[in-house]
Amino acid sequence: GVVMFEQILDKDENIVETFKPNKFRLFMGNFIGSLFLFAFAIVICCLGFFIPDEMGNTLDPIWLLIPFGVYLVYLGLMFLFLSLWYNKTFYAFTNKRIIIRTGIIGVDFKALDLKMIGAVDVNVSLMDKIVGKNTGTLRFGSMSSPMSVPAGSQSLYAFAYIQNPYEIYKKVKEAIEQSKNQ
C-alpha cells in the first residue's frame, strides 16, 4: 500500500492504513442502477408498439433491438471505465492527512490534512444494503471543502464503497483527534 502513495508522502509521514473500494459493490451497484435506466427505456419504446399513431400504425417489434444494443454497448463501456478506475483507486490515511488516489488514464491524488477535517460522516446507502457486502462511503468535510454538494454527486473527499465503514470511521476519527492534539 505504501508504494501507491510513496511519491506524495512527506518525510515524517507514515501511512496508518490503506483500502480499496469493494469491487463487487462497485460493479453490482452500477449494474443494478443501469438496469433501472434500461427498464425505463424499454417502457418508453414499448409505448410505440402499443399506442398507434394517427394512421393506426404501430412500430415493428424489431425496433426493440435498438435499446438492447445501446444497453449492451453502454454496459461494455461502463465496465471498461469502472475497471480502469478501480485498478487505480486506493484510499489511505496517514498520521497527517487522508489521501485519495484515483484515475482512469493517469493517476490523480487528493489530500486533506487531518487537522482541517471538521466533519466525517458514514453513508450506507440502499444499494450498499442490497448488495450486502457491509460497505459504505466515508465523506470528509472541512471549511474549504464542505460536505454539502449538489444532489447525486460525491463529496470531494470520500472513501467510496469501502468495506466495514463504521470500523474505518472510528480509526480515522482517532487519527484526527491525535493530529489535533499534537
Side-chain angles (χ1 to χ4, degrees):
V2 175
V3 175
M4 298 294 166
F5 300 97
E6 195 172 75
Q7 65 217 53
I8 66 162
L9 291 178
D10 295 340
K11 286 183 174 127
D12 61 339
E13 189 171 20
N14 302 311
I15 289 185
V16 176
E17 195 166 342
T18 62
F19 340 93
K20 277 193 78 59
N22 179 279
K23 193 174 197 175
F24 185 78
R25 163 58 181 93
L26 172 69
F27 284 91
M28 189 54 77
N30 281 283
F31 176 71
I32 291 171
S34 73
L35 278 178
F36 287 116
L37 286 173
F38 177 64
F40 180 72
I42 290 296
V43 167
I44 297 298
C45 287
C46 285
L47 292 178
F49 302 113
F50 301 115
I51 301 173
D53 61 13
E54 309 84 42
M55 308 286 283
N57 299 324
T58 57
L59 288 175
D60 191 330
I62 195 79
W63 287 96
L64 260 183
L65 293 177
I66 291 174
F68 279 106
V70 169
Y71 181 65
L72 289 176
V73 169
Y74 171 78
L75 273 183
L77 290 173
M78 179 182 76
F79 283 119
L80 172 70
F81 284 108
L82 285 175
S83 294
L84 292 171
W85 181 84
Y86 177 80
N87 289 335
K88 293 190 178 173
T89 300
F90 291 87
Y91 308 121
F93 69 96
T94 71
N95 56 321
K96 292 182 167 189
R97 57 190 170 160
I98 60 157
I99 305 171
I100 300 168
R101 179 191 191 269
T102 61
I104 291 176
I105 310 279
V107 174
D108 305 318
F109 289 98
K110 290 188 264 187
L112 184 60
D113 287 350
L114 293 176
K115 291 178 181 179
M116 300 299 293
I117 297 173
V120 181
D121 78 8
V122 179
N123 180 12
V124 176
S125 68
L126 176 62
M127 194 60 71
D128 288 308
K129 288 294 188 188
I130 290 171
V131 171
K133 291 287 184 185
N134 188 22
T135 58
T137 297
L138 253 64
R139 296 184 318 161
F140 304 93
S142 70
M143 292 299 283
S144 62
S145 175
M147 288 170 41
S148 57
V149 292
S153 62
Q154 285 280 7
S155 171
L156 184 58
Y157 295 98
F159 291 175
Y161 316 127
I162 56 172
Q163 202 95 28
N164 304 317
Y166 294 107
E167 290 174 29
I168 294 170
Y169 168 82
K170 289 176 188 174
K171 291 177 183 179
V172 171
K173 285 292 282 180
E174 188 177 307
I176 290 169
E177 292 303 317
Q178 286 177 356
S179 75
K180 289 183 178 179
N181 292 331
Q182 288 179 353

